[in-house]
C-alpha cells in the first residue's frame, strides 16, 4: 500500500498530481484507511472536478484583501515553476492545479506537535498544522476542532475573517462545519470535502 505521508508537505498540502497518482494506485478501502478526516479543497478545483463527481512564514503583516484582487494568487517557489502547467480535465473545464484556489489540504497534526490531537490550526505561519501561503490569511487565522465526530471552525481574530456558506462567523465562536460546506478564509475559499467524494472524483479524471 502506497504511503500517503510521502506526498504531504510540511504545511499539510497535497499537490494535485501527486494525489491523483496516489489514488490511481490505491483502492478505496486502502485510501479511507489512511485518511480519517475530510479535506479542504480549493473552490476552483472543487467546483470544477469534485462537486458533481459522485452524483449526488511570510514576515509581513496580514494585508486586507480587495475584491479587485480576488483572482490573484501568491504561489510558493515550488508552485511558481508549475504555474504555467494547465491540465484539461475534460472538454468543458480547464483548471490550473497549482494555485491556492485549486489547493488540497489534509487535516493532520504537525509531527511532534504538543497541541491537542483533535485541534488543527490554520494560518500563514509555518507553525500551523495547515499552512496557507497567502497575504489575506492571518498568521494564526483559525482552528478546526473535531468533537464527537463533528467538526467546528473558530476564527482566532483574523484580519479578514471567516465565512461558512457565505455567512460571516464571529471571532472566538465555534461554528459547526458540515461536509461539503464552503469556508472562506479572507478571499480564499475552500470546500470541506468528504474523503470518498475526493477519491471518486480524482479516480474518474483522466491523466
Amino acid at each position: 500500500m502506497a504511503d500517503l505521508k510521502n506526498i504531504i508537505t510540511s504545511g499539510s498540502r497535497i499537490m494535485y498530481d501527486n494525489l491523483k497518482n496516489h489514488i490511481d494506485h490505491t483502492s478505496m478501502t486502502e485510501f479511507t484507511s489512511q485518511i480519517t478526516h475530510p479535506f479542504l479543497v480549493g473552490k476552483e478545483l472543487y467546483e470544477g472536478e469534485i462537486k458533481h463527481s459522485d452524483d449526488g512564514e511570510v514576515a509581513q503583516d496580514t494585508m486586507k484583501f480587495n475584491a479587485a484582487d480576488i483572482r490573484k494568487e501568491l504561489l510558493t517557489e515550488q508552485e511558481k515553476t508549475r504555474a504555467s502547467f494547465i491540465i484539461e480535465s475534460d472538454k468543458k473545464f480547464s483548471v490550473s492545479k497549482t494555485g491556492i484556489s485549486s489547493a488540497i489540504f489534509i487535516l493532520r497534526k504537525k509531527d511532534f506537535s504538543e497541541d491537542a490531537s483533535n485541534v488543527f490550526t490554520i494560518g500563514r505561519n509555518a507553525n500551523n498544522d495547515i499552512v496557507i501561503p497567502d497575504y489575506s490569511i492571518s498568521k494564526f487565522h483559525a482552528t478546526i476542532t473535531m468533537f464527537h465526530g463533528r467538526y467546528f471552525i473558530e476564527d482566532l481574530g483574523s484580519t479578514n475573517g471567516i465565512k461558512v456558506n457565505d455567512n460571516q462567523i464571529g471571532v472566538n465562536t465555534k461554528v459547526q462545519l458540515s461536509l461539503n460546506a464552503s469556508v472562506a478564509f479572507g478571499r480564499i475559499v475552500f470546500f470541506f470535502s468528504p474523503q470518498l467524494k475526493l477519491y471518486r472524483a480524482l479516480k474518474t479524471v483522466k491523466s
Side-chain angles (χ1 to χ4, degrees):
M1 179 170 64
D3 191 349
L4 187 65
K5 292 181 179 179
N6 294 332
I7 63 173
I8 303 174
T9 71
S10 59
S12 297
R13 179 170 182 176
I14 309 177
M15 297 304 292
Y16 174 90
D17 294 337
N18 293 339
L19 182 59
K20 175 68 172 66
N21 182 67
H22 178 83
I23 286 175
D24 283 343
H25 295 87
T26 306
S27 71
M28 182 181 294
T29 301
E30 291 172 336
F31 186 75
T32 53
S33 70
Q34 294 173 337
I35 306 298
T36 57
H37 303 291
F39 292 86
L40 286 171
V41 180
K43 175 181 173 68
E44 190 172 358
L45 178 59
Y46 183 92
E47 293 187 338
E49 293 183 1
I50 311 303
K51 187 174 182 180
H52 307 293
S53 63
D54 62 355
D55 299 323
E57 142 108 294
V58 181
Q60 290 100 333
D61 291 334
T62 306
M63 293 174 59
K64 290 186 177 180
F65 74 94
N66 187 304
D69 298 328
I70 197 70
R71 299 292 299 174
K72 294 181 181 179
E73 296 166 354
L74 299 176
L75 306 178
T76 64
E77 287 303 316
Q78 178 183 10
E79 291 171 326
K80 286 179 181 178
T81 65
R82 298 161 50 87
S84 61
F85 183 53
I86 304 297
I87 298 177
E88 300 260 341
S89 63
D90 56 41
K91 294 181 180 179
K92 295 182 179 179
F93 190 83
S94 177
V95 61
S96 169
K97 301 306 189 300
T98 59
I100 295 300
S101 64
S102 294
I104 301 171
F105 289 96
I106 186 172
L107 294 189
R108 69 158 194 168
K109 298 299 297 180
K110 296 185 78 70
D111 293 337
F112 311 113
S113 173
E114 297 180 358
D115 297 331
S117 60
N118 66 323
V119 179
F120 306 93
T121 60
I122 302 170
R124 204 177 68 230
N125 187 283
N127 290 324
N128 287 285
D129 299 312
I130 296 174
V131 181
I132 305 177
D134 187 278
Y135 285 120
S136 73
I137 306 297
S138 293
K139 292 179 181 179
F140 299 96
H141 200 108
T143 61
I144 292 178
T145 301
M146 184 184 70
F147 184 71
H148 292 314
R150 297 182 180 183
Y151 295 88
F152 299 84
I153 191 166
E154 180 178 359
D155 185 343
L156 299 179
S158 64
T159 299
N160 290 311
I162 297 173
K163 289 183 178 181
V164 174
N165 291 331
D166 294 324
N167 296 312
Q168 192 82 33
I169 71 173
V171 174
N172 298 324
T173 301
K174 287 184 172 66
V175 173
Q176 186 170 348
L177 192 58
S178 58
L179 294 178
N180 299 309
S182 68
V183 52
F185 304 99
R187 70 186 183 92
I188 308 299
V189 182
F190 294 93
F191 284 83
F192 200 48
S193 177
Q195 304 94 308
L196 280 178
K197 191 164 192 172
L198 184 63
Y199 178 91
R200 290 168 176 159
L202 298 192
K203 193 78 169 181
T204 62
V205 176
K206 295 182 180 180
S207 301

